[in-house]
Amino acid sequence: MSKAREHFADDGAGHERIRSIDDEVLFKVKVQRWRGAVWTNEDLPWLIAAGQREDGSPDDFYSALETTARAARAHYNANNRQPLSTTTYVGRLLPDQNDRDRYQLEAGARLVRDLAAAVRELARGSLHDGHEHAADFPAFRLGILVRADDGHETYAAVRITGSVRDDLIAVILRHVPGCDPTAWYPEYALPSRPLLPAEQAWSTLMDPKAAAELLNED
């Protein structure tokens, strides 16, 4: 699976088609003795089958895939009024709605994980120098400003440029360390400038102890 992700993430990489399958376009992926079949939909690659290479053996992955696909085609034609004109059928291997739903859930979990790590790193960087630190995401730009003075309250602000859903904003604010998720207030300006039309901002106070711990992280 790692090899498939790596190979199909490279837009410049060439892909070799599995010629014995003619009802869908499947591509080969290879690593050591392992072989896989990859089907793409809207540029999203799915590894739909895998096995080992056994030259000259009926158990060879590509031979077994063809044999199974031909048998599936015969079974399909025997049970459907409209027969397939192809010699193979791999429809049962393709992702269904459950697979797509799981992919969306996993993608959401990855985004939350990446956001949480980015928020913490931006906050830590801002604590070090007192300037806003920012990072770009596919649909928006996230900036965090944290200012702390010895013996005084620690100010924290979050700026978002771009279109972001309310639930995603809540995720971002919830992961700013040392801040009460319910205590963020909308801002109409940052400390050094007003907001631009495409920007949103919120501010609150950060727990000084949490700020000190964050500042001392390696």
Side-chain angles (χ1 to χ4, degrees), residues 119-129 214-215 217-218:
V119 164
R120 192 170 190 87
E121 185 61 25
L122 294 175
R124 190 167 72 93
S126 184
L127 263 172
H128 274 284
D129 60 21
L214 185 63
L215 191 61
E217 284 185 355
D218 293 332

Side-chain angles (χ1 to χ4, degrees), residues 158-208:
V158 170
R159 174 185 61 85
I160 295 176
T161 305
S163 178
V164 182
R165 302 192 315 268
D166 289 344
D167 57 348
L168 198 56
I169 292 173
V171 168
I172 293 169
L173 299 180
R174 186 171 70 244
H175 282 93
V176 180
C179 296
D180 181 349
T182 66
W184 290 93
Y185 295 96
E187 287 282 9
Y188 298 97
L190 294 172
S192 60
R193 65 172 178 83
L195 293 180
L196 300 175
E199 295 178 329
Q200 303 177 74
W202 301 261
S203 70
T204 191
L205 297 178
M206 179 181 287
D207 180 356

Side-chain angles (χ1 to χ4, degrees), residues 9 14 19 46-48 53 89 93 136 143-144 165 174 176 186 193 203 215:
R19 299 294 177 184
W46 295 83
L47 182 66
I48 63 170
R53 179 69 168 167
Y89 177 61
L93 299 177
D136 290 316
I144 294 182
R165 302 192 315 268
R174 186 171 70 244
V176 180
R193 65 172 178 83
S203 70
L215 191 61

Side-chain angles (χ1 to χ4, degrees), residues 70-155:
R70 285 179 177 272
R73 180 258 188 190
H75 183 268
Y76 181 95
N77 284 354
N79 291 277
N80 291 272
R81 296 181 61 184
Q82 185 66 35
L84 297 172
S85 59
T86 56
T87 60
T88 60
Y89 177 61
V90 295
R92 64 183 184 83
L93 299 177
L94 301 184
D96 59 16
Q97 191 58 49
N98 287 332
D99 296 311
R100 294 184 176 90
D101 290 344
R102 179 170 180 173
Y103 175 81
Q104 291 297 327
L105 288 172
E106 291 177 349
R110 286 192 296 271
L111 177 59
V112 170
R113 181 191 61 203
D114 292 345
L115 271 174
V119 164
R120 192 170 190 87
E121 185 61 25
L122 294 175
R124 190 167 72 93
S126 184
L127 263 172
H128 274 284
D129 60 21
H131 298 292
E132 180 183 335
H133 284 233
D136 290 316
F137 288 85
F140 64 94
R141 182 172 177 81
L142 170 64
I144 294 182
L145 174 63
V146 182
R147 289 184 174 176
D149 294 319
D150 290 340
H152 295 82
E153 296 174 326
T154 301
Y155 169 87

